[in-house]
Amino acid sequence: EVALACEGTIAVAELDTSWFLHNAPAAAQLSGHGGDGRWRPLLARTPLVPDTRHRFVLDAHEPVTHVRLDVHPDGGMARLRLHGRPTERGLAALTRRWG
């Protein structure tokens, strides 16, 4: 589970199994939490292959504050990268926090 810097929408997710040849997960899924108390799917359970940088364009337009990565079965994940944009409320919170 990863807390984002601020509330935002996720456009692209990168799941990197680089260097994991024999211990990479077979599949992964992403869920987002928007502060309303419920998790919603961002990426359905999707097959992965070892030693690969997987990039997925997400069709998630609802803002989230946290993202959870679930791997099936448990295996090695080199990196999770999330690319998106802050919402106006999230940007205002960042501006207040960091001036």
Side-chain angles (χ1 to χ4, degrees):
E1 190 174 314
V2 177
L4 303 179
C6 68
E7 179 184 78
T9 55
I10 307 298
V12 176
E14 183 178 317
L15 307 176
D16 188 357
T17 59
S18 293
W19 303 104
F20 289 95
L21 297 174
H22 304 290
N23 190 30
Q29 66 188 47
L30 291 172
S31 304
H33 188 276
D36 58 359
R38 66 182 180 94
W39 289 93
R40 55 186 156 273
L42 297 176
L43 176 68
R45 190 169 175 164
T46 304
L48 302 176
V49 294
D51 197 25
T52 303
R53 290 173 66 181
H54 304 81
R55 290 180 58 95
F56 302 100
V57 176
L58 304 180
D59 190 27
H61 301 291
E62 293 184 49
V64 295
T65 57
H66 293 75
V67 174
R68 182 177 67 210
L69 169 65
D70 294 309
V71 294
H72 310 278
D74 191 20
M77 184 69 63
R79 189 171 294 110
L80 167 66
R81 286 189 177 122
L82 302 168
H83 304 272
R85 303 185 82 100
T87 62
E88 287 187 29
R89 184 170 60 188
L91 191 56
L94 276 179
T95 303
R96 281 192 308 273
R97 188 178 317 152
W98 301 105

